[in-house]
Amino acid sequence: MLTPLQTDLASVVEGVNLVWVLTVTFLIFFMHAGFAMLEAGQVRAKNVANQLTKNLLTWSIGVIVFFLLGAAVSSIVAAFTGGPATTISGAFMSLYAPEASATTAWVDWLFGAVFAMTAATIVSGAVAGRARLRAYLTYTILIAGVIYPVVVGFTWGGGFLSALGFHDFAGGMIVHGMGGIAGLTAAWIIGPRMDRFKPDGTANVIPGHSITFAVLGTLILAFGWYGFNVGTAAAPLAYADGGVSLGSFAYVGRVALVTTLGMAAGAIGAGGVAMYKTGKVDTLYVANGVLAGLVGITAIANDIVWPGALVVGLLAGAQLPVVFEFVEKRLQIDDVCAVFPVHGSAGVLGTLLYPVFAVPLWHDGASFVSLAVPQVIGVGVIAIWTFVATAVVFGGFRAVGQVRVSSDHEREGLDTAEHGVDTYPEFGSPDADTGIRTD
Amino acid sequence: MLTPLQTDLASVVEGVNLVWVLTVTFLIFFMHAGFAMLEAGQVRAKNVANQLTKNLLTWSIGVIVFFLLGAAVSSIVAAFTGGPATTISGAFMSLYAPEASATTAWVDWLFGAVFAMTAATIVSGAVAGRARLRAYLTYTILIAGVIYPVVVGFTWGGGFLSALGFHDFAGGMIVHGMGGIAGLTAAWIIGPRMDRFKPDGTANVIPGHSITFAVLGTLILAFGWYGFNVGTAAAPLAYADGGVSLGSFAYVGRVALVTTLGMAAGAIGAGGVAMYKTGKVDTLYVANGVLAGLVGITAIANDIVWPGALVVGLLAGAQLPVVFEFVEKRLQIDDVCAVFPVHGSAGVLGTLLYPVFAVPLWHDGASFVSLAVPQVIGVGVIAIWTFVATAVVFGGFRAVGQVRVSSDHEREGLDTAEHGVDTYPEFGSPDADTGIRTD
Amino acid sequence: MLTPLQTDLASVVEGVNLVWVLTVTFLIFFMHAGFAMLEAGQVRAKNVANQLTKNLLTWSIGVIVFFLLGAAVSSIVAAFTGGPATTISGAFMSLYAPEASATTAWVDWLFGAVFAMTAATIVSGAVAGRARLRAYLTYTILIAGVIYPVVVGFTWGGGFLSALGFHDFAGGMIVHGMGGIAGLTAAWIIGPRMDRFKPDGTANVIPGHSITFAVLGTLILAFGWYGFNVGTAAAPLAYADGGVSLGSFAYVGRVALVTTLGMAAGAIGAGGVAMYKTGKVDTLYVANGVLAGLVGITAIANDIVWPGALVVGLLAGAQLPVVFEFVEKRLQIDDVCAVFPVHGSAGVLGTLLYPVFAVPLWHDGASFVSLAVPQVIGVGVIAIWTFVATAVVFGGFRAVGQVRVSSDHEREGLDTAEHGVDTYPEFGSPDADTGIRTD
């Protein structure tokens, strides 16, 4: 039986942990503003409102689906693959009508929900400028209700990848790798924007309409990312055996340091390679390099030695211009906002590099192979599942001719065609009628 | 007498509660950036700097007035209407020179101040593009010093509406309903922008200059709203009788969940109705639907069953296009940024729907009528007071011909005329001189 | 020996303090988004991407340098000037491989780093539109690695200014005053943008490209500033002698109040003087007045009587238009984003006004002179060091002809020339080729 004092301390611990989880949840939610601005800045002026609408609806529709369905799906998938046992009705009712502590159940759900919505919203940047709203929103419902929850069931929920020892601290693979792969798959199936590639197959650059908004989005994302990574050290204090100790805050300094060094090195890596290739420091590469660096260390921020953060960040940044060019020129996939190099390949890279810089390897004598194998398997499983599920959904829509807007609408711009608005009625000259440039 | 241990625990509780209140206070303050962007995006390019200046000055002037006068007024009003007793000088001195705990008194004041300034700043969106700065700022002084504090005195301060059982958790009516009604009243008295209505009385749409800024503002507001609502669960821990327990965090999970579902449903409700009416998913309706959903559940987020959040959010969103059209076409009031449908009618709706979804009704057997009557009275009293006070102020300015700028200045744009600046000197072509379009 | 209970309480205190420090650190980091937007808005459209790139790289390069070098330099400088003893290797190893508590060491470092990066990034606003990227980034490395750390060593690190009693709570002089003086020095050495001054020496106003972005930046900065000032009350709880008490939160209410009143009064001061001089309420002066008010009270927010915040804020705002004009017309220095009047002179002013409004003077009978002398010496030492160090670096670059871009590149815009991008490819008409206006 707890003494009054133990009750007091347990309450204090619960209160402090809730304060922290809520604060970082809000920060992660704010990343939607970051994605909205980053993507809006990287699309043509005639498609800005479409991009913004998708972002708003991804959150709005997705979070309801994740409450009504997704969270339960991940518990059920976890239970079926070796995680904590639950019944199907129990999985739903533990959220719909939590018995013990509604406070904790619902706050924990929201903390999970903002990660889920991050994965979902990444996709919209890849398919900008031509995806049909209906197809996109259907995919949003499925990623929030099934596709992402399955991945969580396998991993954080306690399923087989978790049992295997797969290490993904804050979603470098589970959230970002997955989102990036889903985006690439969707962009591949939908096909490029018109005039994105010339008849001879060479690429035609279609610049975004505002670097300022793109950089603003980058910095909002970096701000929210501190919540994403550092916040994943979700329980500052632990209460056990009648005593209080630092809980996951025992390693919060490492997470904060690694996150900071990783993002900084990412900007330098991407900017440096861009400079090497063109002689100029491309602003968008530097900005996206910040994000690639962050993605790169997200899976491993709690458990690598800090020099590893510099290396992983540099590599995650450096691969960005290279992979972007590969996707564009070799694969001829029109990944508008570079979501694959920023979230996909950077996430995969960082997750796989865990054994190289892991604290257990450097300080505790763990074997490289025992650390590496689960990472390879985890990345493989998540990548394949994401690719297949996404391909089925968008492939289905393509089969019935519903995956992209008509070419008239694409030329005119999705803002007018799908939303009946002009984002900037007083600026610029709509080029829809000239017939000269249609990008 | 407190034992040393009790002193320790009381200090811990005070520290944790201060950390939380300060954090959410900063989030709520940040809503000013949200309002600034939301409103700037919804006005013509020639009036953007004017709108931004009003936002900056609303905060700057208003918060000083609320410190020097407003907070004391609400204590005094509360005392005169049945709340905690105070002397007039005591009401001022408890803030000017707090005896016991300056820390708590001043932090609590700031927490109240950011709510007050939210109410004040809502008005500027309704009167955009033609209100004279002097009239607007005079109103700001009065709303910060008297009009809003009177409402707080009646309610949160402990006055007669509080005694009656009026339930408004985080200001759905006290802050947003009031701001929306004040905005509508002011817009009605000032009259529409020139050319907003054609000679035959039909409406002429004057689109805002940037949907991107409007959506950015929306997302900043939603971020800050988590502080607004969840933060109103202001004391994570409670200390009483020598023991610690979860304080208002006992229901923080409910607030977080309801806030999330309400905002999401609001976007769907507004977007859905817009789609039903025009066949297209209007971006601004979706964005403002997020806000209407948030307003709708703000009064009741701590005490309704969660399915109610979906219903209230949907309705708050769905009424937005309908009420906006009613205000525009029937009332012929030029509410530029739709502040009445977003803050006013949504706030009234949510506050009145409390008895339908109240936890006490569903779980504790409270009677519908006993829950409903205080809501109706509270909404009525606040609406009437706000309408009358606002009408007197702006009516007075209109009577002496000082309520709006000259038609030359309005045509030219308020940026040049009132502030001597051009917001975008390198973009667009000012249409002031063409005489063809003057909106 | 600690009893189990004492261990519990010590853990609680550590956890709560970490939650707070991390939260405010994230807020201060977000100020980079504020600076980016504020500066971007105040430069020409052709130089926006350059400004954004500088902001991104200031953080990215600077924070790594501050980790590898700067933090150790400040410990060493402190030790050499009377502060806590350390060896050179110890100064580095305490950060590279902290023995006792990596959590605290690394979190504390990050908290210091966001202040350092604020000082560094201020400079970019002064030298906008013509500084060569290489020169600027070299200076960034030096300010992050040496110039700023020396100042911290003298003061917060425990060096001789600290021993003297120099009072700078949150960096009014150490961060902002220093950044403003560095910016002015750099702008002076680099020389004005072409056509900034006419052949007869009169000034030619070159307006920024977007007041909206500038005001957004202002409000983001004000939001982050609550972290900057209030967060500097860094330890909510204190644990000593086996007991818990409010730590620096004992005065957090004062900091919060003074910060709020100071920023509000700053807007009024700057807007009022602008109105007095031109008859119009200039939007940018109001916005920058918010910041000048904040800078003004930053050094002293924890220890002045609150009416002093109104006076200091008003004066800090009021001096802004006056000092800006002096710098422009008398000194003929092209301080593009007004960083000297906003950060430099406002920081100096507030720091020097400490003795006038100090709590020790008004409540504890401290002597004015004993409070004033350390302030004068501290301001003088920091100003001279900053001026000399900055002049040497930029003077060196100027001596070898590497301090500014070629006049062709300047005319064309730095975005194209240095970064190969067009920030707004669909808006505006680049005026680089017309030869008529080159600003």
Side-chain angles (χ1 to χ4, degrees):
Chain A
M1 210 190 105
L2 292 179
T3 66
L5 173 61
Q6 288 173 325
T7 311
D8 289 344
L9 288 174
S11 294
V12 166
V13 168
E14 188 179 1
V16 172
N17 290 355
L18 283 168
V19 164
W20 175 252
V21 169
L22 286 166
T23 302
V24 299
T25 297
F26 304 161
L27 287 180
I28 302 171
F29 166 74
F30 192 44
M31 293 174 74
H32 284 277
F35 280 110
M37 293 301 108
L38 178 64
E39 296 176 10
Q42 291 185 85
V43 303
R44 296 274 294 171
K46 67 182 179 183
N47 295 324
V48 170
N50 175 259
Q51 205 61 26
L52 297 169
T53 311
K54 279 184 190 153
N55 276 280
L56 290 167
L57 290 177
T58 301
W59 166 256
S60 301
I61 295 176
V63 81
I64 290 177
V65 172
F66 189 73
F67 179 75
L68 296 178
L69 179 64
V73 167
S74 73
S75 300
I76 294 165
V77 168
F80 272 78
T81 61
T86 184
T87 62
I88 290 181
S89 72
F92 285 94
M93 292 315 291
S94 69
L95 196 55
Y96 288 4
E99 301 251 342
S101 169
T103 290
T104 307
W106 285 341
V107 170
D108 286 353
W109 168 78
L110 186 58
F111 181 63
V114 290
F115 284 81
M117 293 307 104
T118 302
T121 206
I122 289 170
V123 179
S124 66
V127 300
R130 76 279 200 200
R132 186 166 282 208
L133 192 60
R134 206 160 303 179
Y136 175 77
L137 292 180
T138 304
Y139 183 74
T140 294
I141 291 171
L142 290 168
I143 197 172
V146 180
I147 304 175
Y148 173 83
V150 165
V151 174
V152 170
F154 290 168
T155 54
W156 293 334
F160 78 102
L161 289 176
S162 161
L164 211 69
F166 176 62
H167 185 97
D168 185 349
F169 176 58
M173 185 65 205
I174 295 171
V175 174
H176 293 279
M178 176 198 181
I181 291 167
L184 186 70
T185 309
W188 169 61
I189 291 177
I190 294 182
R193 287 168 290 174
M194 49 171 60
D195 301 326
R196 179 66 174 83
F197 296 99
K198 295 175 191 157
D200 67 358
T202 57
N204 190 20
V205 175
I206 303 179
H209 89 291
S210 170
I211 290 177
T212 319
F213 279 124
V215 170
L216 172 62
T218 300
L219 288 165
I220 291 176
L221 282 170
F223 173 51
W225 223 297
Y226 273 116
F228 204 92
N229 279 12
V230 185
T232 297
L237 296 171
Y239 181 80
D241 303 326
V244 180
S245 60
L246 278 193
S248 45
F249 264 33
Y251 51 81
V252 79
R254 186 178 299 278
V255 180
L257 175 62
V258 164
T259 299
T260 302
L261 296 180
M263 89 163 102
I268 295 169
V273 169
M275 172 120 190
Y276 173 77
K277 292 177 72 156
T278 68
K280 298 190 174 180
V281 182
D282 183 282
T283 308
L284 275 180
Y285 273 134
V286 173
N288 278 313
V290 166
L291 302 179
L294 283 164
V295 169
I297 46 74
T298 291
I300 58 182
N302 66 325
D303 205 31
I304 60 169
V305 296
W306 66 258
L310 292 174
V311 177
V312 172
L314 267 175
L315 291 176
Q319 60 85 36
L320 169 59
V322 178
V323 171
F324 181 77
E325 214 175 287
F326 178 80
V327 169
E328 180 189 48
K329 298 203 171 145
R330 294 298 168 95
L331 303 185
Q332 299 221 323
I333 296 176
D334 183 15
D335 175 6
V336 179
C337 298
V339 311
F340 182 71
V342 169
H343 299 276
S345 50
V348 168
L349 178 78
T351 308
L352 292 178
L353 284 173
Y354 170 61
V356 180
F357 301 108
V359 169
L361 179 88
W362 287 81
H363 290 310
D364 308 330
S367 90
F368 179 86
V369 172
S370 72
L371 295 167
V373 169
Q375 299 304 95
V376 173
I377 295 174
V379 165
V381 168
I382 296 172
I384 292 168
W385 162 250
T386 303
F387 171 76
V388 171
T390 306
V392 166
V393 178
F394 282 103
F397 273 99
R398 192 175 61 177
V400 296
Q402 295 292 321
V403 80
R404 63 188 292 161
V405 300
S406 70
S407 57
D408 276 3
H409 282 191
E410 186 178 346
R411 194 180 308 275
E412 186 187 0
L414 276 65
D415 290 6
T416 314
E418 303 247 307
H419 307 286
V421 300
D422 181 355
T423 303
Y424 303 109
E426 302 182 59
F427 300 152
S429 45
D431 52 11
D433 303 323
T434 63
I436 295 173
R437 289 186 68 193
T438 56
D439 48 21
Chain B
M1 209 191 108
L2 292 179
T3 67
L5 173 62
Q6 289 173 324
T7 311
D8 288 344
L9 288 174
S11 294
V12 167
V13 167
E14 187 179 4
V16 173
N17 290 353
L18 282 168
V19 164
W20 175 250
V21 169
L22 286 166
T23 302
V24 300
T25 297
F26 305 162
L27 287 180
I28 302 170
F29 167 74
F30 192 43
M31 291 175 75
H32 283 279
F35 280 110
M37 293 301 108
L38 177 65
E39 295 176 11
Q42 291 186 84
V43 303
R44 297 274 294 171
K46 67 183 179 183
N47 294 325
V48 170
N50 175 259
Q51 205 61 25
L52 297 169
T53 311
K54 278 184 190 154
N55 275 279
L56 290 167
L57 290 176
T58 301
W59 165 256
S60 302
I61 295 175
V63 81
I64 291 177
V65 172
F66 188 74
F67 180 76
L68 295 177
L69 179 63
V73 166
S74 72
S75 301
I76 294 164
V77 168
F80 273 79
T81 62
T86 185
T87 63
I88 290 182
S89 72
F92 284 95
M93 292 316 288
S94 67
L95 197 55
Y96 289 2
E99 301 249 343
S101 170
T103 289
T104 307
W106 285 340
V107 170
D108 286 352
W109 167 78
L110 185 57
F111 182 63
V114 289
F115 284 81
M117 293 306 105
T118 301
T121 206
I122 289 170
V123 179
S124 65
V127 301
R130 76 280 201 199
R132 187 166 280 209
L133 192 60
R134 204 161 305 179
Y136 175 77
L137 293 179
T138 304
Y139 183 73
T140 295
I141 291 170
L142 290 168
I143 196 172
V146 179
I147 303 174
Y148 172 83
V150 165
V151 174
V152 169
F154 289 168
T155 54
W156 293 334
F160 78 102
L161 289 176
S162 161
L164 210 67
F166 176 62
H167 185 96
D168 185 350
F169 176 58
M173 185 66 206
I174 295 170
V175 174
H176 294 281
M178 173 194 184
I181 291 166
L184 185 72
T185 309
W188 168 61
I189 291 176
I190 294 182
R193 287 167 292 174
M194 50 171 59
D195 300 326
R196 180 65 174 83
F197 296 99
K198 295 174 192 159
D200 67 359
T202 57
N204 190 20
V205 175
I206 303 178
H209 90 291
S210 170
I211 290 178
T212 320
F213 278 124
V215 171
L216 172 63
T218 300
L219 288 165
I220 292 175
L221 283 169
F223 173 52
W225 223 295
Y226 273 115
F228 205 92
N229 278 12
V230 185
T232 296
L237 295 170
Y239 182 81
D241 302 325
V244 180
S245 60
L246 279 193
S248 44
F249 264 32
Y251 51 82
V252 79
R254 186 178 299 280
V255 179
L257 175 62
V258 165
T259 299
T260 302
L261 296 179
M263 90 163 99
I268 295 169
V273 169
M275 173 122 189
Y276 173 78
K277 292 177 71 156
T278 67
K280 298 189 174 181
V281 183
D282 183 282
T283 308
L284 275 180
Y285 273 134
V286 173
N288 277 315
V290 167
L291 302 179
L294 283 163
V295 169
I297 46 75
T298 291
I300 58 182
N302 67 324
D303 205 29
I304 59 168
V305 294
W306 66 258
L310 292 175
V311 177
V312 172
L314 267 175
L315 291 175
Q319 60 84 36
L320 169 58
V322 178
V323 171
F324 181 77
E325 214 175 287
F326 178 81
V327 168
E328 181 189 49
K329 298 202 171 147
R330 294 297 168 94
L331 304 184
Q332 300 220 324
I333 296 177
D334 184 14
D335 175 6
V336 178
C337 298
V339 312
F340 181 71
V342 170
H343 299 276
S345 50
V348 167
L349 178 77
T351 308
L352 292 179
L353 284 174
Y354 170 62
V356 181
F357 301 107
V359 170
L361 180 86
W362 287 82
H363 291 310
D364 308 331
S367 89
F368 180 86
V369 171
S370 73
L371 295 167
V373 168
Q375 299 305 95
V376 173
I377 296 173
V379 166
V381 167
I382 295 172
I384 291 168
W385 162 250
T386 304
F387 171 77
V388 170
T390 306
V392 166
V393 178
F394 282 102
F397 273 98
R398 192 174 64 176
V400 295
Q402 295 291 320
V403 83
R404 63 189 290 162
V405 300
S406 71
S407 56
D408 277 2
H409 282 191
E410 186 179 346
R411 195 179 307 275
E412 185 188 2
L414 276 64
D415 290 5
T416 315
E418 302 248 306
H419 307 285
V421 299
D422 181 355
T423 303
Y424 304 110
E426 301 183 60
F427 300 151
S429 45
D431 52 10
D433 302 322
T434 64
I436 295 174
R437 290 186 66 191
T438 56
D439 47 23
Chain C
M1 211 191 105
L2 292 179
T3 66
L5 174 63
Q6 289 174 325
T7 310
D8 288 345
L9 288 174
S11 294
V12 166
V13 167
E14 187 179 3
V16 172
N17 290 354
L18 283 168
V19 165
W20 175 251
V21 169
L22 286 166
T23 301
V24 300
T25 298
F26 305 161
L27 288 180
I28 302 171
F29 167 74
F30 193 44
M31 292 174 74
H32 284 276
F35 279 110
M37 293 301 107
L38 177 64
E39 295 176 10
Q42 291 186 85
V43 304
R44 295 274 294 170
K46 68 183 178 182
N47 294 326
V48 170
N50 175 259
Q51 205 61 25
L52 297 170
T53 311
K54 277 184 190 153
N55 276 279
L56 290 167
L57 290 176
T58 302
W59 165 256
S60 302
I61 295 176
V63 82
I64 291 177
V65 172
F66 188 74
F67 179 75
L68 296 177
L69 180 63
V73 166
S74 72
S75 301
I76 295 165
V77 168
F80 273 80
T81 61
T86 183
T87 63
I88 290 180
S89 73
F92 285 95
M93 293 315 289
S94 67
L95 196 55
Y96 289 2
E99 303 249 342
S101 169
T103 289
T104 307
W106 286 342
V107 170
D108 286 353
W109 167 79
L110 186 57
F111 182 63
V114 290
F115 284 81
M117 292 307 104
T118 302
T121 206
I122 289 170
V123 179
S124 65
V127 300
R130 76 278 200 201
R132 186 167 281 210
L133 192 59
R134 205 161 305 180
Y136 175 75
L137 292 180
T138 304
Y139 183 73
T140 295
I141 291 170
L142 290 168
I143 196 172
V146 179
I147 304 174
Y148 173 82
V150 165
V151 174
V152 170
F154 289 168
T155 53
W156 293 334
F160 78 102
L161 289 176
S162 161
L164 211 68
F166 175 62
H167 186 97
D168 184 349
F169 176 58
M173 185 64 206
I174 294 172
V175 175
H176 294 280
M178 174 196 182
I181 290 166
L184 186 71
T185 309
W188 168 61
I189 290 176
I190 294 182
R193 286 167 292 173
M194 49 173 58
D195 301 326
R196 179 67 174 83
F197 296 99
K198 296 175 190 155
D200 67 358
T202 57
N204 190 20
V205 174
I206 303 179
H209 90 290
S210 170
I211 290 177
T212 320
F213 279 123
V215 170
L216 172 63
T218 300
L219 288 166
I220 292 176
L221 283 169
F223 172 51
W225 222 296
Y226 273 115
F228 204 93
N229 277 13
V230 185
T232 297
L237 297 170
Y239 181 82
D241 302 326
V244 180
S245 59
L246 279 193
S248 44
F249 264 33
Y251 52 81
V252 78
R254 185 178 301 277
V255 180
L257 175 63
V258 164
T259 299
T260 302
L261 296 180
M263 88 164 101
I268 295 169
V273 170
M275 172 121 190
Y276 173 79
K277 292 176 73 155
T278 68
K280 298 190 175 180
V281 182
D282 183 281
T283 307
L284 275 179
Y285 273 133
V286 173
N288 278 314
V290 166
L291 302 179
L294 283 163
V295 169
I297 47 74
T298 291
I300 59 182
N302 67 325
D303 206 29
I304 60 169
V305 296
W306 65 258
L310 292 174
V311 177
V312 172
L314 267 175
L315 291 176
Q319 60 85 35
L320 169 59
V322 179
V323 172
F324 181 78
E325 212 174 289
F326 178 81
V327 168
E328 180 190 49
K329 299 203 170 146
R330 294 298 168 94
L331 303 184
Q332 299 220 323
I333 296 177
D334 183 14
D335 175 5
V336 179
C337 299
V339 312
F340 182 71
V342 170
H343 300 276
S345 51
V348 167
L349 178 77
T351 308
L352 293 179
L353 284 174
Y354 171 62
V356 180
F357 301 107
V359 170
L361 180 87
W362 288 81
H363 291 310
D364 309 329
S367 90
F368 179 86
V369 171
S370 72
L371 295 167
V373 168
Q375 299 304 93
V376 173
I377 295 174
V379 166
V381 167
I382 295 171
I384 291 168
W385 162 250
T386 303
F387 171 77
V388 170
T390 306
V392 166
V393 179
F394 282 102
F397 273 98
R398 191 174 65 175
V400 295
Q402 297 291 321
V403 82
R404 63 188 292 161
V405 301
S406 71
S407 56
D408 277 0
H409 281 191
E410 186 178 346
R411 193 180 308 275
E412 185 187 0
L414 276 65
D415 290 5
T416 314
E418 303 248 307
H419 307 286
V421 299
D422 181 354
T423 302
Y424 303 109
E426 302 182 60
F427 300 151
S429 45
D431 52 11
D433 302 322
T434 64
I436 296 173
R437 289 186 68 194
T438 57
D439 47 22

